Amino acid sequence: TSTAQAQTVKEGEWEYTNTMKIAGMPDMPAMPALPPGMKLPGGMSMSGGPGGMTMTLKQCITNSDLRPKMKDEGKYKCEMTKEKREGNRFEWAMHCTGKNTDFTSQGAGSYSADRMSSDMSSKGTMDGHPADMSMKTTGQYLGACPPQK
């Protein structure tokens, strides 16, 4: 494999599954169905159980921006303190603040052909509550990004 091929990630729509565990929190019970008429944003689903809380979302990725974004990331003011990419591997760290919020997150991951995986940890205070959590993300390539509406 040439260096150029190793550094290229398939641009397009990816589906990511995030499994979050919070230190000191007991296993989550199975999540009930949403009330009739209520639904999550497009391309997103959530469930809970013994492995932690799992959320699935779809997102378009480019070679210049490989890190999957969380839907509520804009809720806080976050500053990237580290962004590193070597071939198909990437690392990041960020510091986020907001109302009753001050936490740091760091993670690393890699892409290979039509799959990806990453691990992230966060510590600090989120919305006034102590936070010590980890998140495992796996992803798979779906195809070209859908047209913007």
Side-chain angles (χ1 to χ4, degrees), residues 17 53 71 73 79 96-97 102 104 109 114 136 143:
T17 300
M53 183 175 79
K71 291 285 185 192
E73 205 165 285
E79 177 187 353
C96 299
T97 57
D102 189 346
T104 56
D114 57 358
K136 172 79 175 162

Side-chain angles (χ1 to χ4, degrees), residues 41-61:
M44 185 183 224
S45 66
M46 293 179 77
S47 65
M53 183 175 79
T54 299
M55 179 174 58
T56 301
L57 61 109
K58 294 177 183 176
Q59 192 170 91
C60 287
I61 291 295

Side-chain angles (χ1 to χ4, degrees), residues 1-148:
T1 305
S2 75
T3 303
Q5 286 175 320
Q7 292 182 355
T8 300
V9 172
K10 283 187 180 178
E11 293 185 330
E13 186 176 33
W14 285 73
E15 181 176 75
Y16 297 102
T17 300
N18 302 307
T19 302
M20 183 180 355
K21 293 185 179 186
I22 300 173
M25 182 175 258
D27 286 342
M28 296 183 71
M31 293 181 76
L34 291 172
M38 183 180 210
K39 61 184 196 175
L40 294 169
M44 185 183 224
S45 66
M46 293 179 77
S47 65
M53 183 175 79
T54 299
M55 179 174 58
T56 301
L57 61 109
K58 294 177 183 176
Q59 192 170 91
C60 287
I61 291 295
T62 66
N63 264 293
S64 61
D65 191 6
L66 300 179
R67 185 178 59 85
K69 308 295 186 288
M70 297 302 297
K71 291 285 185 192
D72 64 353
E73 205 165 285
K75 178 178 175 181
Y76 309 113
K77 181 178 181 286
C78 297
E79 177 187 353
M80 296 301 287
T81 56
K82 176 182 183 181
E83 286 185 273
K84 180 180 175 185
R85 179 174 174 190
E86 290 181 9
N88 65 339
R89 294 199 45 76
F90 59 99
E91 296 177 25
W92 75 94
M94 65 178 137
H95 178 233
C96 299
T97 57
K99 184 176 181 182
N100 301 315
T101 297
D102 189 346
F103 68 93
T104 56
S105 298
Q106 58 188 20
S110 64
Y111 282 83
S112 60
D114 57 358
R115 302 266 185 236
M116 73 78 66
S117 66
S118 69
D119 291 291
M120 181 182 82
S121 62
S122 298
K123 284 187 184 248
T125 303
M126 296 176 97
D127 298 321
H129 303 284
D132 182 358
M133 62 185 164
S134 62
M135 185 164 60
K136 172 79 175 162
T137 300
T138 57
Q140 68 178 23
Y141 178 75
L142 298 177
C145 290
Q148 295 292 329

